[in-house]
Amino acid sequence: MATRDEYIEKLEFQFKSWAKSIEELKNKADKATAETKSECSELIETLRSQHAAAQTKLQVLKQSGEEAWDELKPGMENAWNELRSSVEKAQSKFN
């Protein structure tokens, strides 16, 4: 099992990667047809919202004490999995 600091470091790295992926998707959407562009824009806004929510949970986790970490980790895992799934689904639509 990863330590708290290793876990947070892993999350921070992944969030940066997802932010880059979301930006790449936005760039692809900008080049799409009007109808596709509208659908993609909504999807990207959803991704950005999920990313921000998960990032907020990460900040709370970072500021928490060691004893609160175990209580906060499941919520972070849920946000992480939801965002990962959404990013993968969005990427598949563009490929």
Side-chain angles (χ1 to χ4, degrees):
M1 187 162 119
T3 67
R4 179 178 177 268
D5 290 338
E6 290 170 336
Y7 182 75
I8 289 171
E9 185 177 316
K10 175 183 165 185
L11 290 175
E12 288 177 330
F13 176 80
Q14 188 60 58
F15 281 130
K16 288 177 187 175
S17 175
W18 284 331
K20 183 178 177 183
S21 294
I22 292 168
E23 191 59 32
E24 288 171 357
L25 291 171
K26 181 193 174 301
N27 290 338
K28 287 181 181 181
D30 287 344
K31 297 173 185 169
T33 64
E35 182 178 325
T36 304
K37 189 174 187 176
S38 175
E39 178 184 336
C40 293
S41 293
E42 290 176 27
L43 179 60
I44 290 167
E45 285 306 310
T46 299
L47 288 172
R48 285 182 173 164
S49 177
Q50 288 176 334
H51 188 271
Q55 191 74 20
T56 299
K57 286 183 185 276
L58 177 59
Q59 293 306 316
V60 170
L61 184 70
K62 286 171 68 172
Q63 295 171 359
S64 70
E66 194 68 35
E67 56 283 342
W69 184 57
D70 288 330
E71 293 176 22
L72 295 171
K73 190 175 176 185
M76 185 72 247
E77 290 287 332
N78 288 338
W80 167 287
N81 290 330
E82 184 178 311
L83 180 57
R84 178 179 42 82
S85 176
S86 295
V87 169
E88 289 172 354
K89 187 182 292 185
Q91 287 173 325
S92 72
K93 286 188 176 198
F94 284 95
N95 292 332

